[in-house]
Amino acid sequence: MANERAWKFWVPSIARAGGPVYLAIADALQADIRSGRLSAGARLPPQRALAEALGIDFTTVTRAYAEGRKRGLLDGRVGQGTYVLQGRPSVSRPLPTGLVDMSMNLPPRFDDAALTARMWQGVGALEAEVGLDLLLRYQQPGGAARDRAAGVEWLSGRLPGIFAERVLVCPGAQGALLAVLSSLAEPGDTVCAEALTYPGFLSVAAHLRLNVVGVRIDEEGVVPEAFEQVCAEHRPKAFYCNPTIGNPTTITLPLERRRSLLEIAARYDVAIVEDDAYGALPRQPVPPLAALAPERVYHIAGLAKCLSPALRIAYLVGPDIRAAVRLSGIVRATAAMASPLTAAIASRWIEDGTADAVLGAIRSEATARQAIARELLPSGSMLADPEGFHGWLRLPAMWSRGEFTARLRSAGIGVVVSDAFALGPAPEAVRLGLGAAEDHEHLRQSIGILADLLVQPPAASITVV
């Protein structure tokens, strides 16, 4: 009888600051179950009754009960209410990401069961194809012959004429960056990059104790005159860039500017490190820098954005065989080798066409998500490439980036503030990762909240539901 009437008395004690209210209710529910205050089979109060008792919106309680079911704490019975489940609840607490943590720039999940099955079938086929040696043997630090050949096949459409001796299989783009920068510069040397650049590059440069100088950008990317000024004044050992669907700005450097940068780099003898993380996404890409001046460019083509983050594989194309041999030695010293297992999976998918199918599915899903963002956000507020899956949101004058991200965080939405990318003064902007949402519904909810916030003055109050 007590359990049947428990809902009349259960009102959670919750903290009103530090995160979404619905998560605080779910946390209190879990704590009360563990402490014995709520026992198995206890009926919880109706959602509207609890909302009135707490002085909050009804839909906040709806989300809290849904979170309780997700954690394995509750069961809902049509016409009978919501009850505490029998048995011990899960001890793992989901991360308080709220609606969508758009700080992670992930390729969007596609809804294609047949393609998903095909991906797993390719993994399983390796047992018969390669056998135990794949699991119990080391490989060359630059990758097995088959894996290098697969890299050539994957890149040949964008880099015609490359051959396997110039291609290394690296443990992700970070591993490739570490190898390249280690080969080009010594502690205390200067390298340069776009004024808004990939934080992973900054981390590697800091680890190697390199000085990094920012190069001014505009709406078309790196300004050639600014690059020449940096070359003349600082004599950098290398220039790092992300010229196709740049991170974070989404800008693709036009062909004319690419040629200008390469001409300046040749004149000042500056090596180019081209991070082509998103280069496979455009159906009609601008030629990579490595295709225009292969003798000067170190080309890094990671698979995390266009195929699978789980593989942690990147193909590194050196300017020549001599450079590839030198880079191979650095890979050996820093990581021994890329994972033979994940390299074999990538090779299998490339060889049997699965990789192209996955790339096509990611492209289509990215296009759909960009359309959702364009529909909901104020016109012109977000820079984006229609074939990419992140956006660069420029904030209206009434918002500072710190205040804006704090308000989003209170709603359970994560973004990356511009400071993480800036070499110099940071603009009032944030990066949105549109691929992180589980589905279109979750993306619409989060973008909708974000869009509402953009048009409200900071002093206005918002209701988080």
Side-chain angles (χ1 to χ4, degrees):
M1 184 69 175
N3 282 347
E4 287 296 315
R5 298 172 56 188
W7 64 267
K8 295 182 180 179
F9 306 99
W10 185 74
V11 177
S13 176
I14 61 173
R16 295 294 179 138
V21 174
Y22 83 95
L23 285 177
I25 296 173
D27 288 344
L29 173 66
Q30 186 164 331
D32 286 348
I33 292 172
R34 287 177 177 168
S35 69
R37 184 184 176 197
L38 286 173
S39 57
R43 184 185 176 192
L44 293 190
Q47 295 175 26
R48 291 193 183 279
L50 183 57
E52 291 176 3
L54 293 174
I56 60 177
D57 193 278
F58 162 74
T59 54
T60 301
V61 179
T62 300
R63 291 191 66 199
Y65 280 18
E67 178 68 17
R69 287 192 292 273
K70 180 179 177 182
R71 299 187 191 185
L73 305 174
L74 302 177
D75 183 28
R77 307 172 192 172
V78 178
Q80 299 182 41
T82 302
Y83 291 79
V84 176
L85 275 175
Q86 302 285 339
R88 183 180 179 183
S90 169
V91 298
S92 62
R93 181 189 185 282
L95 292 174
T97 55
L99 299 178
V100 174
D101 181 9
M102 290 190 286
S103 64
M104 294 299 292
N105 196 22
L106 305 170
R109 292 184 58 170
F110 46 82
D111 185 14
D112 188 332
L115 180 54
T116 302
R118 181 177 172 184
M119 295 171 75
W120 284 112
Q121 287 166 3
V123 175
L126 291 173
E127 179 183 6
E129 287 182 5
V130 187
L132 197 58
D133 280 355
L134 181 61
L135 303 178
L136 295 183
R137 294 291 180 268
Y138 289 105
Q139 292 184 356
Q140 293 297 316
R146 175 188 180 184
D147 299 329
R148 289 189 177 198
V152 170
E153 182 178 348
W154 180 250
L155 296 171
S156 59
R158 303 195 300 280
L159 299 178
I162 65 168
F163 46 89
E165 288 79 7
R166 287 179 55 206
V167 177
L168 301 182
V169 182
C170 293
Q174 285 299 104
L177 264 176
L178 178 60
V180 172
L181 290 179
S182 297
S183 74
L184 294 175
E186 297 180 354
D189 284 342
T190 295
V191 295
C192 60
E194 295 148 300
L196 292 169
T197 193
Y198 170 50
F201 160 74
L202 298 176
S203 296
V204 173
H207 175 73
L208 295 175
R209 292 180 291 165
L210 304 178
N211 301 314
V212 183
V213 176
V215 180
R216 184 166 56 89
I217 61 174
D218 61 17
E219 296 298 315
E220 292 189 334
V222 178
V223 177
E225 294 78 9
F227 176 53
E228 181 161 19
Q229 181 178 356
V230 168
C231 289
E233 294 179 0
H234 298 278
R235 297 293 174 175
K237 297 291 186 178
F239 171 54
Y240 168 85
C241 60
N242 185 197
T244 299
I245 313 183
N247 181 16
T249 63
T250 78
I251 295 171
T252 292
L253 195 66
L255 180 59
E256 182 179 351
R257 285 205 180 182
R258 295 183 186 221
R259 288 177 170 150
S260 295
L261 291 177
L262 290 169
E263 188 276 326
I264 294 167
R267 196 172 345 126
Y268 287 90
D269 194 24
V270 177
I272 303 289
V273 183
E274 180 179 33
D275 187 347
D276 207 30
Y278 307 92
L281 294 175
R283 292 171 177 83
Q284 296 181 319
V286 181
L289 298 172
L292 300 172
E295 74 286 350
R296 182 155 301 277
V297 179
Y298 293 78
H299 182 89
I300 300 171
L303 298 182
K305 307 302 183 185
C306 55
L307 190 52
S308 168
L311 294 179
R312 305 309 304 149
I313 292 295
Y315 300 118
L316 169 57
V317 183
D320 51 39
I321 296 176
R322 182 181 177 187
V325 171
R326 185 172 63 253
L327 292 166
S328 180
I330 298 174
V331 171
R332 181 194 295 275
T334 56
M337 60 184 177
S339 164
L341 180 58
T342 56
I345 294 170
S347 296
R348 181 66 158 76
W349 286 350
I350 290 168
E351 291 163 356
D352 69 9
T354 300
D356 284 334
V358 171
L359 175 60
I362 290 173
R363 284 170 171 165
S364 297
E365 182 61 23
T367 299
R369 294 185 181 219
Q370 289 282 4
I372 291 172
R374 286 197 306 272
E375 173 192 341
L376 297 177
L377 290 172
S379 178
S381 62
M382 186 179 78
L383 287 178
D385 186 291
E387 294 177 300
F389 43 79
H390 66 280
W392 186 237
L393 186 68
R394 295 174 292 189
L395 302 179
M398 61 184 174
W399 281 106
S400 71
R401 58 193 184 279
E403 193 170 13
F404 187 76
T405 53
R407 290 285 289 273
L408 283 178
R409 194 180 305 116
S410 71
I413 300 175
V415 296
V416 184
V417 70
S418 59
D419 302 73
F421 309 96
L423 285 167
E428 300 297 344
V430 297
R431 190 195 69 185
L432 312 179
L434 304 180
E438 183 176 349
D439 53 36
H440 291 183
E441 179 184 357
H442 285 88
L443 181 64
R444 281 185 173 277
Q445 289 174 352
S446 293
I447 294 293
I449 289 176
L450 194 150
D452 290 343
L453 192 59
L454 278 174
V455 297
Q456 294 179 11
S461 62
I462 59 171
T463 301
V464 179
V465 299

